[in-house]
Amino acid sequence: MTAPRPAAPSIERSLTLHLRGDWGMANLHRVCGWIAQELTDRTEPGSRIAIWNGRGFADSVRAAGHRLVDVALATPAAFAAAAIDGRGIYGVEYFPQLRALGVVPQRDRLVVGVHRSLGIKTFAELRERAPRLTVATGKLDGINHVGLAARALLDRAGVDIAGWGGGYLDDERPAEAFEHIASGRANAIVQEAVMLPQWQRFGGDLHFLEVEPDVLAALEAEFGWPAATVEEGYFPGAPAFRTLDFSDFLLCTTTELPDDVAYAIAWILGETRLLLEQQYRHLTPERSPVTYPLDPVAMGRTPIPLHDGAARYYNALPDHESGATTGDYA
């Protein structure tokens, strides 16, 4: 006998909500558009939902925490956990009232690559030879999670970019870093978005360095950043290696969001997921910016506490949904 589905929401009032996504043309904005459409359909006429652009990093976490918006999307999901108890960049300003509505699964990694011409395959060799590196990565501005994680990883791995005579090329989005590598302006890269096709074009020119276990353990202990595996052959000619997990889009809110709205958004994530999935099915799951098939049970596993309203939806689910796995694809 099929288990009953969680009850569909019906909000008998008009809503005015503010959502925050990404720069405007990437995946977080697409998720916001999906939620805005489906939520409006389940409220009284006159509802208005605005989508504000942002960067999708610590700015989203802070925007939700300060209630500048009602819901904000941030990636990677695990990086928001530090905002609950004031670790890392949230040491001065943290948000114990922060809550999650769910995650949109997106299997991603932060990887470290150095040009093959340097002949360096491990961090031990990198420290021994101390080459002059020009590293393409994210901005170090207290907001960009790529720039933050890149510096933290390299520092704990004993890599002294400036001391070895090198420097950084800091940019906001991965595409800009890709161009630095492709053009030869950079001979090393620390970046995410590993599913994008640019990696397949220049990845064969790089050695991808496995992050040492003690470094991964230190990053998890200090910041709550988990590790993950990139499987053999995911990049051209590359062996399997361990590195930082950079997965999942987290929907952040606070305890102030009404319970029925939180429930409705969680229900939309789980019960109308095919509307989002179909926008990515021209890509294989392991090369898609959203890792489908979406599993509602997995979507309720969040690195910060669930909002009570959202928890009501996930707690009503059967133990197994779509059959999707949450293990490493890469």
Side-chain angles (χ1 to χ4, degrees):
M1 183 174 178
T2 303
R5 304 303 308 166
S10 179
I11 298 176
E12 296 180 354
R13 65 185 186 281
S14 298
L15 298 178
T16 298
L17 287 181
H18 297 265
L19 312 182
R20 184 171 173 131
D22 52 49
W23 309 281
M25 292 185 66
N27 301 291
L28 303 187
H29 245 55
R30 181 174 289 186
V31 172
C32 286
W34 165 41
I35 292 169
Q37 172 180 297
E38 295 303 301
L39 186 58
T40 301
D41 285 350
R42 291 164 175 83
T43 65
E44 290 296 301
S47 287
R48 300 181 303 164
I49 300 180
I51 301 173
W52 293 89
N53 65 316
R55 298 168 65 184
F57 299 125
D59 62 310
S60 285
V61 177
R62 293 184 178 117
H66 284 300
R67 297 189 63 203
L68 300 177
V69 296
D70 299 289
V71 180
L73 274 77
T75 188
F79 280 45
I84 294 288
D85 54 10
R87 287 171 288 157
I89 58 174
Y90 300 103
V92 175
E93 174 184 60
Y94 59 98
F95 307 100
Q97 76 277 21
L98 202 68
R99 295 294 183 268
L101 299 174
V103 296
V104 175
Q106 185 236 20
R107 300 292 173 253
D108 200 359
R109 310 290 182 252
L110 187 81
V111 297
V112 181
V114 297
H115 201 274
R116 286 178 177 265
S117 62
L118 297 173
I120 293 170
K121 299 181 180 180
T122 67
F123 273 101
E125 292 176 351
L126 186 60
R127 290 189 295 269
E128 180 182 356
R129 300 183 192 181
R132 181 175 181 176
L133 295 178
T134 301
V135 182
T137 191
K139 294 180 179 180
L140 184 63
D141 59 3
I143 295 174
N144 188 301
H145 285 157
V146 175
L148 170 69
R151 271 52 166 222
L153 189 160
L154 294 176
D155 177 67
R156 284 151 186 79
V159 177
D160 187 358
I161 300 297
W164 299 347
Y168 292 95
L169 295 175
D170 294 347
D171 290 289
E172 177 69 0
R173 289 180 282 272
E176 297 151 331
F178 298 159
E179 179 57 29
H180 292 316
I181 285 288
S183 67
R185 290 191 295 271
N187 60 357
I189 185 170
V190 185
Q191 259 296 348
E192 47 122 20
V194 297
M195 75 295 296
L196 294 181
Q198 291 94 323
W199 288 104
Q200 301 304 309
R201 292 198 283 269
F202 60 70
D205 298 330
L206 303 174
H207 285 305
F208 291 92
L209 308 189
E210 178 162 77
V211 183
E212 294 151 326
D214 62 326
V215 174
L216 292 174
L219 293 172
E220 183 158 24
E222 189 170 351
F223 304 117
W225 300 346
T229 300
V230 177
E231 69 181 15
E232 181 178 2
Y234 191 79
F235 298 115
F241 61 95
R242 296 284 284 172
T243 189
L244 272 182
D245 193 350
F246 233 65
S247 294
D248 298 342
F249 306 146
L250 178 68
L251 281 78
C252 301
T253 187
T254 70
T255 53
E256 297 297 317
L257 189 72
D259 276 16
D260 59 346
V261 177
Y263 176 88
I265 293 175
W267 186 94
I268 288 164
L269 295 180
E271 301 302 309
T272 74
R273 60 192 184 275
L274 294 180
L275 295 175
L276 185 70
E277 283 185 22
Q278 67 188 8
Q279 299 181 54
Y280 294 92
R281 286 193 174 273
H282 61 290
L283 302 167
T284 59
E286 68 274 10
R287 302 291 179 185
S288 171
V290 168
T291 306
Y292 65 84
L294 300 176
D295 178 359
V297 173
M299 295 167 88
R301 298 178 186 137
T302 57
I304 65 173
L306 282 167
H307 188 290
D308 287 347
R312 183 161 56 88
Y313 166 74
Y314 296 112
N315 289 338
L317 290 169
D319 289 338
H320 301 287
E321 278 286 338
S322 70
T325 62
T326 57
D328 294 338
Y329 77 83

